[in-house]
């Protein structure tokens, strides 16, 4: 029989939101281009983060708000792999789970969506006291520091819900801040009023990238996913995730990054803020990486020896030297911030959140 044999249907876990389904279908389409005879079925579910909408994310106080139910289905064998927005995925996965692929990154920056009343404005030109909606401590801290004339208020819900709240004729929001990647994937790029460059607002770890989680022991699925891995995105995200993991951060403190990979040099900038944005600790680290050409074939490994994970990432297409270098770079940056008392700033931020519950 020519080509690939037809096998059982592959079950793919996804959140129920429109954006999550678009992202999941994108991954499936990429897989079909490589494995045209494979069949896929999407299994949707709501996560705790989707259900609890009356509290800000930090006040809920859990790291796996948008992943726990999906990972449980994966662990129980109800799905074969799960598609995540990488920024929602904790830096340490449950035992036995791994990221089988990180796809090419969409725009990682933040985007401003203005209400119709202020469609010709930018954040800096908005009237004093204008209300900006965001559910992110990272965004609110940076806005408070850089745009003190604005008022920040929490806004929850999926993209559709937040845009509906903004567009309501009785809305108090002058603008909301969202990930540019989500708006672009939804086909709503025309709603973007302003893109915030990293100099204006660093972004979340992994923002704009899609991660595909699978069981570490499932060699069939791991082999299926491997062609989707993007080298540049993976190295940048390993470094970003290593930075956050070393700091011990998450949505419970304002932490952000930006990264780039140019001419084999990986650069990552990271920062930690107090909740009000007035305290800022930041630094940058750089490192040269060994990046083989497109014809590179990794050395064959002993079939009985499990390859090492790098911040839960499996990336056989990339040399272990490069992956380890990216991981060390993130650690190095975090240690620079720790020496500047970043952990104390983060601890105070968490305490303030708990005290306001």
């Amino acid at each position: 029989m020519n080509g690939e044999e037809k096998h059982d249907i592959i079950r793919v876990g996804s959140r129920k939101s429109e954006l999550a389904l678009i992202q999941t279908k994108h991954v499936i389409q990429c897989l079909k281009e490589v494995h045209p005879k494979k069949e896929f079925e999407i299994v949707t579910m709501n996560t705790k983060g989707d259900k609890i909408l009356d509290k800000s994310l930090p006040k809920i106080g859990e790291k796996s708000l948008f992943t726990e139910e999906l990972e449980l289905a994966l662990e129980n064998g109800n799905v074969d792999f799960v598609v995540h927005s990488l920024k929602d995925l904790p830096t340490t996965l449950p035992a036995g789970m791994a990221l089988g692929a990180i796809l090419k990154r969409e725009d990682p920056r933040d985007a401003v969506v203005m209400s119709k009343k202020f469609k010709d404005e930018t954040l800096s030109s908005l009237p004093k006291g204008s209300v900006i909606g965001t559910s992110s401590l990272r965004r609110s801290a940076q806005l408070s520091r850089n745009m003190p004339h604005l008022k920040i208020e929490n806004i929850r819900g999926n993209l559709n819900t937040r845009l509906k709240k903004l567009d309501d004729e009785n809305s108090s929001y002058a603008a909301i801040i969202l990930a540019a990647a989500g708006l672009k994937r939804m086909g709503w790029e025309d709603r973007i009023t302003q893109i915030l460059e990293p100099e204006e607002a660093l972004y979340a770890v992994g923002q704009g990238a899609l991660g595909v989680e699978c069981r570490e022991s499932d060699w069939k699925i791991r082999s299926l996913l491997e062609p989707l891995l993007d080298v540049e995105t993976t190295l940048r995200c390993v470094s970003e995730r290593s930075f956050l993991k070393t700091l011990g951060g998450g949505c419970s403190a304002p932490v952000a990054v930006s990264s780039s990979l140019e001419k084999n040099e990986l650069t990552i900038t990271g920062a930690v803020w107090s909740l009000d944005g007035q305290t800022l600790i930041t630094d940058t680290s750089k490192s040269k990486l060994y990046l083989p050409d497109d014809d590179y074939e990794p050395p064959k490994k002993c079939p009985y020896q499990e390859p090492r994970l790098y911040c839960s990432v499996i990336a056989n297409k990339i040399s272990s030297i490069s992956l380890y270098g990216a991981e060390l770079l993130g650690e190095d940056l975090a240690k620079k911030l720790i020496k500047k008392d970043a952990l104390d700033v983060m601890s105070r931020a968490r305490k303030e959140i708990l005290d306001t519950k």
Side-chain angles (χ1 to χ4, degrees):
M1 181 176 182
N2 292 329
E4 204 173 356
E5 289 187 10
K6 187 173 178 179
H7 294 289
D8 295 337
I9 293 174
I10 296 166
R11 296 155 299 170
V12 186
S14 172
R15 291 165 63 190
K16 287 185 176 180
S17 73
E18 185 177 356
L19 176 58
L21 287 169
I22 285 173
Q23 293 176 165
T24 299
K25 289 174 183 176
H26 170 69
V27 170
I28 290 172
Q29 184 55 45
C30 291
L31 284 170
K32 283 185 173 180
E33 290 174 7
V34 183
H35 310 283
K37 295 191 177 182
K38 295 289 186 185
E39 290 189 12
F40 300 86
E41 174 189 347
I42 298 176
V43 179
T44 61
M45 58 198 78
N46 281 321
T47 65
K48 186 174 292 185
D50 296 311
K51 296 171 186 175
I52 304 176
L53 298 176
D54 58 344
K55 291 183 180 180
S56 64
L57 297 177
K59 287 187 179 181
I60 302 173
E62 294 184 29
K63 292 183 178 179
S64 304
L65 286 173
F66 297 105
T67 62
E68 185 176 359
E69 290 80 0
L70 292 161
E71 288 176 326
L72 186 60
L74 186 59
E75 182 181 348
N76 293 337
N78 296 326
V79 296
D80 297 301
F81 65 81
V82 175
V83 178
H84 299 284
S85 291
L86 193 58
K87 68 181 178 65
D88 294 332
L89 201 60
T91 53
T92 300
L93 299 184
M97 301 300 158
L99 276 165
I102 299 177
L103 281 71
K104 186 174 178 60
R105 197 174 207 166
E106 180 49 277
D107 190 338
R109 298 171 296 177
D110 283 339
V112 180
V113 180
M114 291 285 181
S115 67
K116 293 178 182 178
K117 180 180 178 181
F118 297 109
K119 62 183 178 66
D120 296 323
E121 305 292 338
T122 62
L123 288 179
S124 59
S125 67
L126 282 171
K128 184 177 181 180
S130 296
V131 176
I132 310 300
T134 176
S135 62
S136 162
L137 294 179
R138 169 186 61 82
R139 291 174 180 144
S140 62
Q142 292 184 86
L143 282 170
S144 296
R145 182 180 179 86
N146 300 330
M147 305 280 176
H149 67 293
L150 302 176
K151 182 180 179 182
I152 316 301
E153 288 190 3
N154 185 60
I155 186 170
R156 287 289 317 280
N158 58 36
L159 277 182
N160 311 58
T161 301
R162 293 188 219 186
L163 288 170
K164 186 177 180 180
K165 290 179 179 179
L166 176 69
D167 295 338
D168 188 294
E169 60 181 20
N170 297 317
S171 175
S172 62
Y173 300 108
I176 57 177
I177 313 294
L178 300 166
L183 290 163
K184 291 181 178 183
R185 289 189 180 116
M186 292 284 281
W188 295 341
E189 193 169 357
D190 61 336
R191 292 300 308 265
I192 297 176
T193 309
Q194 179 184 359
I195 289 286
L196 299 178
E197 298 297 335
E199 302 79 43
E200 302 171 281
L202 298 180
Y203 42 81
V205 165
Q207 185 160 303
L210 298 180
V212 187
E213 186 178 6
C214 63
R215 292 179 291 273
E216 189 179 352
S217 60
D218 194 336
W219 289 87
K220 185 181 79 170
I221 293 298
R222 283 172 50 174
S223 176
L224 181 88
L225 297 174
E226 191 171 309
L228 301 190
L229 179 144
D230 181 76
V231 173
E232 177 185 337
T233 302
T234 300
L235 288 169
R236 288 173 61 190
C237 288
V238 164
S239 185
E240 293 174 17
R241 287 170 63 80
S242 176
F243 166 72
L244 186 61
K245 182 179 180 180
T246 306
L247 281 179
C251 66
S252 59
V255 179
V257 296
S258 69
S259 66
S260 63
L261 180 58
E262 297 178 3
K263 295 181 179 179
N264 289 27
E265 184 172 70
L266 179 59
T267 302
I268 177 171
T269 296
V272 170
W273 293 262
S274 57
L275 289 187
D276 62 7
Q278 297 313 298
T279 301
L280 166 62
I281 298 175
T282 185
D283 214 317
T284 298
S285 290
K286 300 181 180 182
S287 179
K288 290 283 187 182
L289 300 182
Y290 168 67
L291 298 180
D293 57 33
D294 292 337
D295 296 326
Y296 169 76
E297 289 189 17
K300 291 183 178 178
K301 298 181 175 65
C302 172
Y304 306 106
Q305 184 178 0
E306 185 66 24
R308 188 190 154 189
L309 303 185
Y310 299 87
C311 287
S312 302
V313 176
I314 295 172
N316 294 334
K317 286 170 58 176
I318 307 175
S319 75
S320 57
I321 297 173
S322 295
L323 287 163
Y324 187 47
E327 188 177 63
L328 283 179
L329 188 65
E331 288 180 15
D332 174 73
L333 178 60
K335 288 174 182 176
K336 285 182 180 179
L337 268 60
I338 289 169
K339 285 183 179 179
K340 298 179 180 181
D341 293 327
L343 296 185
D344 183 55
V345 173
M346 294 171 67
S347 177
R348 279 186 274 125
R350 292 189 186 105
K351 186 176 185 303
E352 285 182 50
I353 293 166
L354 290 172
D355 288 346
T356 58
K357 281 189 176 182

